[in-house]
Amino acid sequence: MFVFIFSTTGKLPTVSKGTHVIIPVVEELEDDRWECKIVEQDGNRVKLSVNSLPTAAVGRYELTVATHSPKGEAMSTHDPANDIIVLFNPWNECE
């Protein structure tokens, strides 16, 4: 199964501005990139740990999940309870 996490912030999110982010699921987290790792799985529920870019924009990132498996594809509906909120970015020298 492949899982892709999509996260957007702002009124017109775009990949080039870093406000539309495709977050890959990885085995091991690394620095300096958007990525996530499965830390817990129980049936259909999955808990993720998410890393953001050091230059990630401050804001509320709406989170949706797409899954691809032999049984088909599915896209989650947006639930504000799952949003990622970046209040400040301590790794960004400008903040």
Side-chain angles (χ1 to χ4, degrees), residues 16-76:
S16 63
K17 291 182 180 179
T19 54
H20 176 90
V21 182
I22 300 168
I23 306 170
V25 178
V26 298
E27 293 291 323
E28 293 299 323
L29 295 173
E30 297 180 23
D31 294 334
D32 299 332
R33 65 187 75 200
W34 278 99
E35 60 188 4
C36 65
K37 176 182 178 179
I38 297 172
V39 293
E40 187 178 315
Q41 189 167 358
D42 183 18
N44 290 336
R45 298 188 70 117
V46 175
K47 185 184 231 180
L48 301 171
S49 177
V50 179
N51 274 5
S52 64
L53 270 175
T55 56
V58 169
R60 179 182 208 111
Y61 289 82
E62 296 180 0
L63 191 66
T64 54
V65 178
T67 58
H68 304 275
S69 74
K71 294 182 179 182
E73 298 179 3
M75 178 76 81
S76 71

Side-chain angles (χ1 to χ4, degrees), residues 70-85:
K71 294 182 179 182
E73 298 179 3
M75 178 76 81
S76 71
T77 56
H78 174 247
D79 179 352
N82 295 326
D83 287 354
I84 297 170
I85 301 171

